[in-house]
Amino acid sequence: MRKLFLIVLVLSLVTRLVQAQSFRAGAALRVITPNPLLPISGGIGTPKKATEKKGDLFVRAFVLEKGTTRIAIVSVDNLGWPSVLGNKSRALIKSVPPGNVLIGATHTHSGPDAYGFPDQSGKALADLPYLEKCVAQIAEAVEEAVKNLQPASLKVAVGEAKGKIAFNYYAADLYDPRCGVIQAIAATGVNKGKPIVTLVNYAIHPEVIGSGRGILSPDLCGPLYDKIESKTGGMAIFMNGAQGGMVTADVRREGGTEANTWEECIRIGELLGDEALRIVGTAPTLENPSVYCATRLVEFPIESDMMKYIIKNSPLGYKLTGSDKVTTQLNLLNIGPAQILTVPGEALPNIGYYVKRHMNTKFPFLFGLTNDAFGYMLTKVDFNSFKRYEYISRTSLGEMTGEIYMEQALKTVAESPKPE
């Protein structure tokens, strides 16, 4: 009898150990569409009055867990989400370590001002109560995603997205057509075999509608969510890539015209959604994949007078380190065979290609505008080198931003284990 009891006890302990070490995933979202509508910000300058909306704005949270490692990936439908806001959410989140919480912006140009852009008199028009509400909703979405954690398997794929989706406005073919997809699939329960969440990583400016038409919208990201969710039943989440200078939605038409309509948002969003599902569709299912997270603080000097003015006069209360320097969080994730690096701004495509080429994986992901959104990131040889680059150089922290990022990102890669 005693022998039988010991066998049962050992089996119970083994079962608990296996469960503790198994890969789990969970997802949750919150609607953050302001009601009444707020003015729209597409960048530096005075926000434009919103008179209607097309689709809702969201916070979307994807939580992964393996053993004692738990990570939250959050996407916010906004132009950018500064760390001064992200850190407030991290302080509210109790179930995930602050360094393991990644918060990125989709970069829609049709959402409320989240930077607190000051005008020439130093006055900012950002709605601070709305931003505080979003801060709380990010934390709520992450905590709910933790509660929704369940045993899962994984599919990872990277492939070229076909069709008329994006192009480089400065030089048409200089963009990254690769689309990375991570899909967590329920391993047990009534939804066994069905996706819990599908993450799409692609470099593009969601600015089909733009900021000057009075339409508040997630832009092409809204139809992307709808297409994937209608086909999979699970939640969709979009993380942007290296889309700086100037990778935008391909709305070109014959005769030099553009289709800047909600219908064009639907066309591009649905096409990207279909392509993402095609790319991941034939990927092998990975049981119990490994998960790893590294965090590094990176310091950037602020050389741009415009960026200094914005950071020092914004009501958000940006914190400077030393004399005219900012510090941000850089993350590296290994999720199964995928390796992910965060980018705290809009890196130019050549930076994206260079970093991806030196990552330890065949499945490289870059999460742009994640953990911060410090404007454009150029290499020193591109900075102020062409008339075409005048605007993006002016709205960059400085000449060395891209260089510092590449050095620190690849140093993090070198110090981290290879994905399994």
Side-chain angles (χ1 to χ4, degrees):
M1 191 69 175
R2 179 178 173 81
K3 186 176 180 181
L4 179 61
F5 171 77
L6 289 173
I7 292 172
V8 172
L9 178 61
V10 170
L11 289 174
S12 176
L13 290 172
V14 170
T15 300
R16 290 182 184 180
L17 180 62
V18 170
Q19 289 175 342
Q21 296 298 319
S22 66
F23 175 76
R24 299 200 300 163
L29 56 78
R30 292 289 187 277
V31 176
I32 57 169
T33 308
N35 185 18
L37 300 179
L38 291 174
I40 297 160
S41 173
I44 298 168
T46 303
K48 309 300 191 297
K49 181 180 179 181
T51 58
E52 62 177 310
K53 75 179 181 79
K54 294 288 187 181
D56 280 310
L57 306 181
F58 289 92
V59 163
R60 292 165 178 265
F62 174 20
V63 173
L64 311 93
E65 180 185 85
K66 175 69 178 290
T68 59
T69 301
R70 183 179 287 170
I71 302 163
I73 299 171
V74 181
S75 175
V76 185
D77 283 321
N78 199 282
L79 182 73
W81 204 252
S83 61
V84 67
L85 297 176
N87 288 338
K88 289 183 177 182
S89 294
R90 291 184 176 98
L92 296 174
I93 296 167
K94 306 304 180 186
S95 300
V96 183
N100 289 19
V101 178
L102 288 62
I103 304 175
T106 61
H107 202 54
T108 174
H109 281 54
S110 303
D113 177 11
Y115 287 85
F117 288 121
D119 61 19
Q120 292 180 343
S121 69
K123 181 182 178 182
L125 299 176
D127 190 296
L128 299 185
Y130 167 75
L131 296 179
E132 289 295 330
K133 184 177 180 182
C134 291
V135 163
Q137 287 174 305
I138 287 172
E140 290 173 9
V142 170
E143 296 290 7
E144 183 181 332
V146 170
K147 291 180 180 178
N148 292 339
L149 282 168
Q150 58 181 296
S153 56
L154 195 73
K155 295 181 77 172
V156 174
V158 174
E160 182 174 340
K162 306 288 187 180
K164 194 177 175 65
I165 300 174
F167 79 114
N168 191 327
Y169 184 76
Y170 292 168
D173 293 331
L174 299 187
Y175 76 102
D176 191 346
R178 289 170 292 181
C179 176
V181 188
I182 297 174
Q183 192 173 68
I185 301 164
T188 60
V190 294
N191 292 319
K192 181 178 180 180
K194 295 181 179 179
I196 300 167
V197 59
T198 302
L199 182 151
V200 178
N201 179 217
Y202 186 78
I204 188 171
H205 269 68
E207 56 179 354
V208 176
I209 293 176
S211 60
R213 300 177 59 201
I215 302 173
L216 188 140
S217 174
D219 205 85
L220 62 89
C221 303
L224 168 70
Y225 303 144
D226 293 342
K227 170 60 71 169
I228 290 175
E229 291 172 354
S230 68
K231 286 196 167 186
T232 68
M235 192 190 82
I237 181 170
F238 175 73
M239 303 298 290
N240 219 313
Q243 35 63 283
M246 179 69 74
V247 181
T248 190
D250 193 350
V251 297
R252 296 172 294 177
R253 293 293 182 269
E254 292 182 4
T257 61
E258 295 183 351
N260 301 114
T261 64
W262 175 243
E263 288 71 26
E264 187 71 349
C265 289
I266 294 173
R267 182 193 70 78
I268 295 176
E270 290 189 347
L271 175 56
L272 180 55
D274 282 334
E275 284 298 284
L277 293 178
R278 175 188 65 79
I279 289 166
V280 79
T282 56
T285 301
L286 309 172
E287 307 294 340
N288 207 21
S290 61
V291 174
Y292 169 83
C293 180
T295 304
R296 179 186 296 272
L297 294 181
V298 180
E299 187 177 77
F300 296 101
I302 311 171
E303 300 170 353
S304 162
D305 290 336
M306 178 184 291
M307 297 299 282
K308 285 180 186 178
Y309 183 82
I310 292 170
I311 289 172
K312 291 183 178 181
N313 290 279
S314 168
L316 298 187
Y318 290 90
K319 289 182 173 58
L320 300 181
T321 54
S323 175
D324 295 335
K325 293 181 179 179
V326 288
T327 300
T328 192
Q329 173 178 311
L330 170 68
N331 282 106
L332 179 147
L333 306 182
N334 291 338
I335 303 173
Q339 188 165 77
I340 301 162
L341 279 168
T342 61
V343 186
E346 300 178 63
L348 266 66
N350 55 347
I351 293 177
Y353 268 98
Y354 178 77
V355 172
K356 281 186 175 182
R357 193 166 70 247
H358 288 84
M359 293 166 71
N360 286 323
T361 180
K362 294 180 180 179
F363 303 97
F365 289 68
L366 289 183
F367 287 177
L369 296 144
T370 297
N371 296 335
D372 249 317
F374 287 135
Y376 288 97
M377 300 170 63
L378 301 80
T379 62
K380 63 183 180 181
V381 295
D382 284 331
F383 190 85
N384 264 340
S385 292
F386 307 101
K387 186 174 182 179
R388 176 66 84 177
Y389 282 176
E390 285 181 358
Y391 170 75
I392 61 175
S393 296
R394 193 167 67 250
T395 52
S396 167
L397 289 178
E399 181 175 329
M400 296 305 294
T401 306
E403 305 294 329
I404 293 169
Y405 170 73
M406 288 187 290
E407 177 189 5
Q408 293 297 313
L410 296 184
K411 186 176 181 181
T412 307
V413 170
E415 294 174 357
S416 299
K418 293 182 179 181
E420 294 182 8

